[in-house]
Amino acid sequence: MMKKKKRDFEARFWSGTRKHSVTGLLEAFFQFNDLAVVKEALSAMVQCSVRRKARFSEYPEEVFHLYLSLRSLVRAGQVMAGKNKERQTAFLAAETHFSGLALGSLSEEEFRDPLQVFRKAFRKFSREDYDGFLSSLVYFSLGSSKGEENRKVIGPYLQLVKMLEAAHLLMERGAGKA
């Protein structure tokens, strides 16, 4: 049995632990964050960042916590994007029919193989692109100035939502047990 490799996903400030395995980070992320709440907050932050004189929250510490935890999730996602395909079969769904509600923003193919979401996300954007997106999103959603144009924000936002859903799906399927 192989020992799980622990890495520094820069999670110390929000999770209390510096090093995690990918599975451990996902578990910690979803212990601290509810999927629906994170997706709603992320959507509201995007809306606030592209409108003038709109602030996301009166509590900047909550925004900062979300920022730090999403940064860590992106770092874990980058590791998952590079995972060997042969080792991923335990995460594949055997079901042949999916309801629209179960899929969320994922396609049927992505629902069957959630790790595919991470591979696609990191083909489209680099980790630095996601870090820049999150930084500017927090900056503009907490201030009263207008941020980047919609087209510069929408791509990383959509990929991040898909990564959130795929990560949650992996946790539901018991990613750590494979």
Side-chain angles (χ1 to χ4, degrees):
M1 178 190 266
M2 283 186 70
K3 185 178 175 183
K4 290 183 183 179
K5 186 174 182 180
K6 293 193 175 192
R7 298 179 181 187
D8 186 359
F9 294 114
E10 300 179 20
R12 185 180 80 214
F13 294 109
W14 65 269
S15 76
T17 304
R18 187 172 68 92
K19 291 198 173 192
H20 288 279
S21 64
V22 172
T23 304
L25 182 97
L26 294 180
E27 288 172 355
F29 182 88
F30 290 110
Q31 284 174 355
F32 284 94
N33 300 290
D34 178 72
L35 177 63
V37 172
V38 171
K39 286 172 42 176
E40 184 178 323
L42 195 57
S43 175
M45 289 171 70
V46 166
Q47 290 174 14
C48 288
S49 72
V50 296
R51 280 193 249 146
R52 278 197 197 282
K53 299 184 181 185
R55 287 188 62 162
F56 170 68
S57 175
E58 293 297 318
Y59 305 102
E61 64 275 7
E62 292 175 3
V63 175
F64 191 62
H65 177 272
L66 181 60
Y67 162 74
L68 290 175
S69 59
L70 286 171
R71 275 184 74 227
S72 297
L73 182 74
V74 165
R75 282 159 173 66
Q78 186 178 29
V79 171
M80 287 187 280
K83 292 266 185 197
N84 188 344
K85 285 186 179 184
E86 288 79 43
R87 293 176 51 206
Q88 298 172 8
T89 56
F91 309 128
L92 300 178
E95 303 161 25
T96 56
H97 179 69
F98 307 100
S99 74
L101 288 175
L103 295 175
S105 66
L106 303 178
S107 68
E108 282 190 36
E109 188 178 331
E110 291 168 337
F111 188 85
R112 284 189 182 96
D113 180 9
L115 292 171
Q116 184 182 125
V117 171
F118 297 100
R119 288 190 296 273
K120 285 181 182 178
F122 285 96
R123 266 183 283 182
K124 291 185 179 199
F125 300 100
S126 68
R127 188 187 88 196
E128 291 77 19
D129 292 334
Y130 289 109
D131 284 349
F133 162 72
L134 288 170
S135 296
S136 63
L137 191 64
V138 168
Y139 178 80
F140 288 112
S141 67
L142 289 177
S144 59
S145 58
K146 186 177 175 183
E148 298 180 22
E149 297 174 20
N150 284 337
R151 66 178 178 265
K152 293 181 182 177
V153 174
I154 297 302
Y157 164 72
L158 293 174
Q159 293 302 315
L160 191 55
V161 168
K162 283 186 164 210
M163 282 193 274
L164 281 163
E165 291 179 355
H168 192 264
L169 192 56
L170 287 170
M171 292 312 306
E172 284 181 346
R173 291 182 185 168
K177 287 136 182 105

